[in-house]
């Protein structure tokens, strides 16, 4: 039988594709998809601008007003980070997820949850924690839209920033761990200690290899700083040599004019106006080492503060970094901020108007076979009366007092903070100072002298220090004293600070120890000679190198010691001194800051 039907070939548009879809249908779906995606993406991007974000007064009247004064809004390069740069991911999938999450924020707007400043501030902390948590989870992805660890050049960073960023590479820190509240009012202080530890804990997944670019930059800046220090050292050595040559020439000329047996004319003495010398120390300082060290006003900063939540360098300090590694270039700034009351981190409830925040001290160091010789020189400041003391002078008898401490590495914090480890949040004049009635009424009054309040002490004398203040606990450890046997063991193990103090007005020299408390015991003693001439203080110290008395640190060749000092100028007392960071002292060792060169 003949089949007369014709087989018809389907047209191109009618051909079947995947799942039976025709070419024409696929094209239609494709075009519709592009239009839909384009419309969706256009609408999404329209909501992804700062202008859209501040359309509602909740944003415009609150966080936007906080953001505009910051560097993210206006800076020298004109690069602005808007709301979406910090709060919306750039990858498309994550962006869509974030937009879906934003529906909850729209709901809050519709219900008036944040429609007043009071309501906004009521919920601010909860909102901030949500953002911090999200950024912690994503390794601060939105920060890294603009900032890249691998592109950082430490040559343009302060020493503190260099150390912190290097620490971030090596331990797995992320941007938000340190940089909270950089564009809005900070509420980090409202976190509990447990929350703070959790949200700022290093994440091993974020550990990065330190890029070669960063290593190279670090090497260059360290070499540059070392060269500058070496140049300064050479200049000072040249100045000393010049002075020495002038002295030798003057002596030679004077000697040539003298008849045999005639005595040399006595050199004029520097006026000692304003100071009483305890001794007369005759030393040739020509070949002594010289270093300039800045001291600053610390306010109420204590070792608990250094190890606490408000100190950004806590982690680095706990690892063993010295204070000077981060702050050597900003000592004056720190002191000025605290003394003026402008510091956001260290508050002082009893400011002294006009008190200088810092000043430089020139230190010369030398030694002979028996004694260490130190000379401190600095400019006297203008008188700034203390408003909370009758007459404005806390110690009317002494316009100046100078103290220094020496310790071995057996004192835990001495290696990085010097004498700062003896300053506690519960000591006299500090924020958590116990009342005298509390001190004298305690069992410890039988062992410690509380008649003058709570003095300095070191951690090794306490079973623990309260650092976090959980559940309203006072910071410090005055009431956690170890047993007498443990204190004696600590002293035998050199776990104490050797203290020497001089009072210019009375000429009194005190030698003591700081362990369970500050105790002046006489010790090996020291001699002081102080003068104030033309507004310049000069204090010369002669201290024996070795001692067989308990509570003294003997200084030996080949060993390095921890050193810190404080100056009470302008009739001050207590915590109102200027202090140094911790430095290193040794005999004939060019690698330390205070190098006592042999005569």
């Amino acid at each position: 039988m003949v089949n007369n039907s014709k087989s018809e070939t389907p047209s191109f548009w009618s051909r079947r594709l995947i799942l039976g879809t025709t070419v024409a249908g696929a094209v239609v779906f494709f075009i519709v998809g592009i239009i839909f995606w384009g419309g969706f993406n256009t609408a999404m991007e329209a909501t992804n601008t700062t202008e859209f974000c501040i359309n509602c007064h909740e944003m415009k009247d609150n966080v936007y007003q906080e953001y505009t004064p910051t560097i993210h809004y206006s800076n020298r390069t004109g690069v602005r980070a808007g709301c979406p740069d910090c709060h919306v991911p750039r990858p498309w999938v994550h962006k869509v997820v974030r937009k879906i999450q934003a529906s909850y924020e729209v709901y809050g707007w519709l219900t008036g949850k944040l429609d007043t400043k009071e309501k906004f501030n009521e919920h601010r902390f909860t909102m901030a924690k949500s953002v911090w948590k999200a950024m912690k989870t994503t390794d601060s992805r939105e920060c890294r839209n603009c900032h890249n660890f691998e592109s950082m050049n430490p040559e343009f960073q302060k020493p503190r920033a260099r150390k912190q960023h290097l620490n971030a590479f090596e331990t797995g820190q992320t941007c938000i761990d340190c940089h909270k509240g950089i564009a809005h009012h900070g509420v980090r202080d409202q976190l509990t200690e447990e929350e703070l530890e959790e949200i700022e804990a290093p994440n091993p997944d974020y550990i990065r290899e330190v890029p070669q670019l960063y290593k190279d930059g670090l090497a260059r800046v360290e070499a540059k700083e070392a060269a500058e220090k070496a140049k300064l050292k050479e200049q000072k050595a040249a100045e000393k040599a010049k002075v020495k040559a002038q002295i030798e020439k003057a002596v030679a000329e004077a000697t040539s004019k003298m008849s045999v047996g005639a005595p040399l004319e006595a050199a004029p003495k520097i006026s000692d106006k304003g100071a009483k010398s305890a001794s007369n120390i005759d030393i040739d300082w020509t070949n002594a080492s010289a270093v300039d060290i800045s001291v600053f006003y610390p306010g109420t900063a204590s070792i608990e503060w250094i190890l606490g939540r408000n100190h950004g360098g806590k982690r680095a300090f706990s690892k063993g970094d010295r204070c000077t590694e981060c702050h050597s270039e900003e000592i004056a700034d720190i002191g000025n901020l605290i003394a003026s009351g402008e510091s956001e981190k260290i508050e002082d409830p009893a400011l002294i108007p006009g008190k200088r925040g810092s000043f430089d001290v020139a230190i010369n160091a030398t030694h002979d076979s028996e004694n260490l010789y130190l000379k401190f020189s600095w400019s006297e400041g203008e008188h700034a009366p203390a408003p909370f003391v009758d007459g404005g002078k806390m110690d009317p008898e002494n316009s100046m007092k100078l103290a220094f401490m020496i310790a071995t590495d057996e004192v835990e914090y001495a290696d990085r903070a010097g004498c700062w480890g003896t300053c506690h949040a519960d000591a006299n004049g500090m924020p958590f100072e116990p009342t005298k009635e509390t001190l004298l009424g305690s069992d410890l009054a039988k062992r410690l002298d509380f008649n003058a309040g709570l003095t300095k002490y070191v951690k090794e004398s306490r079973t623990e220090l309260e650092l976090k203040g959980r559940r309203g606990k006072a910071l410090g450890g005055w009431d956690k004293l170890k047993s007498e046997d443990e204190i004696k063991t600590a002293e035998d193990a050199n776990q104490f600070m050797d203290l020497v103090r001089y009072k210019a007005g009375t000429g009194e020299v005190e030698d003591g120890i700081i362990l369970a408390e500050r105790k002046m015991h006489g010790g090996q003693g020291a001699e002081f000679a102080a003068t104030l001439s033309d507004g310049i203080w000069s204090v010369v110290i002669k201290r024996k190198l070795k001692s067989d008395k308990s509570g003294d640190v003997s200084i030996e060749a080949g060993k390095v010691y921890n050193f810190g000092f404080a100056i009470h100028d302008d009739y001050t007392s207590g915590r109102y001194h200027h202090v140094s960071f911790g430095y290193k002292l040794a005999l004939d060792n060019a690698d330390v800051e205070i190098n006592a060169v042999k005569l």
Side-chain angles (χ1 to χ4, degrees):
M1 182 162 90
V2 179
N3 186 355
N4 294 323
S5 62
K6 293 183 177 180
S7 63
E8 298 180 1
T9 302
S11 66
F12 173 77
W13 298 104
S14 299
R15 290 180 181 176
R16 300 286 178 177
L17 301 175
I18 299 173
L19 300 177
T21 304
T22 65
V23 172
V27 171
V28 170
F29 279 123
F30 179 71
I31 294 172
V32 170
I34 290 177
I35 294 173
F36 174 78
W37 181 87
F40 174 78
N41 194 61
T42 300
M44 187 168 62
E45 290 303 320
T47 65
N48 204 37
T49 65
T50 297
E51 289 71 24
F52 177 84
C53 292
I54 62 173
N55 268 330
C56 62
H57 80 87
E58 286 88 342
M59 294 293 106
K60 187 173 185 179
D61 295 344
N62 292 292
V63 288
Y64 183 70
Q65 300 303 319
E66 303 163 5
Y67 151 71
T68 52
T70 71
I71 198 169
H72 282 90
Y73 181 81
S74 179
N75 51 66
R76 65 181 180 84
T77 60
V79 178
R80 177 176 295 173
C83 304
D85 291 314
C86 296
H87 295 287
V88 181
R90 287 182 179 174
W92 196 81
V93 173
H94 296 294
K95 184 185 296 185
V96 172
V97 172
R98 178 68 185 91
K99 291 297 181 181
I100 294 172
Q101 292 172 341
S103 60
Y104 178 75
E105 297 162 18
V106 175
Y107 173 76
W109 171 70
L110 288 172
T111 57
K113 186 177 181 179
L114 307 171
D115 60 0
T116 66
K117 196 173 188 68
E118 290 72 23
K119 289 181 181 179
F120 190 94
N121 286 329
E122 180 185 348
H123 296 283
R124 178 192 289 271
F125 181 52
T126 301
M127 293 187 290
K129 285 201 296 183
S130 176
V131 173
W132 297 338
K133 183 177 180 180
M135 297 189 79
K136 179 77 172 183
T137 302
T138 63
D139 190 12
S140 304
R141 178 179 51 210
E142 281 63 64
C143 296
R144 292 184 288 108
N145 285 342
C146 299
H147 304 280
N148 191 328
F149 267 134
E150 285 71 20
S151 299
M152 288 182 178
N153 189 338
E155 291 179 271
F156 303 106
Q157 296 176 347
K158 292 183 177 180
R160 174 173 51 175
R162 288 182 225 151
K163 297 293 293 185
Q164 297 287 29
H165 289 135
L166 192 60
N167 180 65
F169 279 117
E170 297 171 344
T171 64
Q173 297 293 151
T174 188
C175 310
I176 199 61
D177 290 352
C178 299
H179 297 286
K180 300 178 184 68
I182 56 174
H184 305 300
H185 289 169
V187 287
R188 175 183 178 274
D189 60 329
Q190 296 181 33
L191 288 166
T192 65
E193 290 296 334
E194 292 79 8
E195 290 174 323
L196 192 66
E197 289 178 3
E198 179 182 359
I199 200 171
E200 296 188 356
N203 185 340
D205 293 337
Y206 299 158
I207 292 176
R208 299 168 172 82
E209 182 179 354
V210 181
Q212 192 61 44
L213 176 69
Y214 198 91
K215 292 179 181 178
D216 292 343
L218 199 60
R220 284 193 298 269
V221 71
E222 289 177 347
K224 180 182 177 181
E225 291 175 348
E228 291 174 348
K229 290 181 180 178
K231 183 178 180 181
L232 183 61
K233 186 176 181 179
E234 288 177 3
Q235 290 174 345
K236 290 184 176 180
E239 291 173 0
K240 285 184 181 180
K242 183 177 179 180
V243 171
K244 182 179 180 180
Q246 290 174 337
I247 293 174
E248 291 175 347
K249 181 180 178 181
V251 171
E253 290 178 352
T255 304
S256 65
K257 296 177 182 179
M258 290 177 55
S259 58
V260 179
L264 282 171
E265 183 179 351
K269 292 185 178 181
I270 300 175
S271 169
D272 62 354
K273 179 182 178 182
K276 294 183 178 180
S277 295
S279 65
N280 196 5
I281 306 170
D282 184 18
I283 288 295
D284 180 6
W285 297 96
T286 306
N287 293 323
S289 69
V291 63
D292 291 331
I293 292 177
S294 295
V295 293
F296 67 100
Y297 179 61
T300 57
S302 62
I303 192 64
E304 287 81 13
W305 182 87
I306 291 174
L307 292 165
R309 59 189 294 160
N310 292 324
H311 178 218
K314 166 191 173 181
R315 199 172 288 113
F317 182 85
S318 299
K319 284 174 54 184
D321 286 356
R322 299 168 64 193
C323 299
T324 54
E325 292 186 60
C326 288
H327 300 298
S328 61
E329 303 300 322
E330 53 187 19
I331 294 175
D333 294 336
I334 294 172
N336 292 336
L337 285 172
I338 299 173
S340 65
E342 297 176 4
S343 174
E344 297 179 355
K345 295 183 177 181
I346 304 173
E347 297 182 1
D348 191 338
L351 291 172
I352 301 177
K355 185 177 183 67
R356 55 179 173 171
S358 68
F359 54 89
D360 294 333
V361 181
I363 302 178
N364 298 100
T366 186
H367 76 95
D368 55 26
S369 58
E370 295 183 358
N371 300 297
L372 168 70
Y373 301 94
L374 298 171
K375 181 168 69 172
F376 296 78
S377 304
W378 69 93
S379 298
E380 185 183 37
E382 296 291 332
H383 178 49
F388 44 85
V389 176
D390 289 341
K393 297 178 180 180
M394 285 177 265
D395 185 358
E397 285 190 330
N398 297 289
S399 61
M400 181 277 292
K401 297 187 289 287
L402 183 147
F404 66 88
M405 298 187 202
I406 300 175
T408 64
D409 285 348
E410 278 69 28
V411 181
E412 182 177 357
Y413 301 132
D415 63 331
R416 65 207 85 159
C419 57
W420 211 297
T422 67
C423 179
H424 295 275
D426 52 5
N428 289 339
M430 297 295 276
F432 296 91
E433 172 190 11
T435 64
K436 194 167 185 178
E437 291 73 21
T438 299
L439 293 171
L440 294 176
S442 71
D443 293 338
L444 297 183
K446 299 175 182 178
R447 296 178 54 195
L448 301 178
D449 182 3
F450 290 140
N451 290 313
L454 183 67
T455 63
K456 296 178 180 293
Y457 58 89
V458 295
K459 173 181 178 289
E460 283 73 9
S461 68
R462 264 57 179 183
T463 56
E464 65 175 317
L465 294 179
E466 178 60 44
L467 302 175
K468 299 178 179 178
R470 290 174 175 168
R471 295 177 293 278
K473 290 183 179 179
L475 300 184
W478 77 270
D479 57 344
K480 300 176 178 63
L481 186 66
K482 289 182 178 180
S483 68
E484 292 185 8
D485 288 342
E486 290 174 312
I487 298 294
K488 182 64 171 62
T489 299
E491 183 173 349
D492 293 341
N494 287 328
Q495 293 179 325
F496 61 85
M497 302 288 291
D498 185 0
L499 168 68
V500 177
R501 184 168 61 178
Y502 170 72
K503 299 179 179 180
T506 62
E508 182 181 5
V509 178
E510 299 175 301
D511 188 4
I513 179 177
I514 296 179
L515 180 53
E517 61 184 334
R518 182 177 61 208
K519 184 180 294 184
M520 297 304 177
H521 58 74
Q524 65 176 341
E527 296 179 41
F528 281 74
T531 61
L532 175 59
S533 177
D534 297 326
I536 302 296
W537 276 105
S538 180
V539 180
V540 178
I541 304 162
K542 176 182 178 182
R543 177 194 185 273
K544 289 188 178 299
L545 293 174
K546 296 183 179 181
S547 173
D548 58 0
K549 296 183 179 179
S550 177
D552 286 336
V553 173
S554 292
I555 300 176
E556 302 176 24
K559 293 186 177 181
V560 176
Y561 300 86
N562 301 301
F563 183 87
F565 67 99
I567 295 173
H568 281 95
D569 72 333
D570 198 15
Y571 303 95
T572 56
S573 62
R575 68 172 181 82
Y576 294 93
H577 50 9
H578 289 85
V579 299
S580 75
F581 282 131
Y583 295 93
K584 302 297 182 180
L585 178 147
L587 306 181
D588 303 303
N589 184 341
D591 293 330
V592 301
E593 291 90 0
I594 302 174
N595 174 29
V597 180
K598 191 166 186 179
L599 286 169

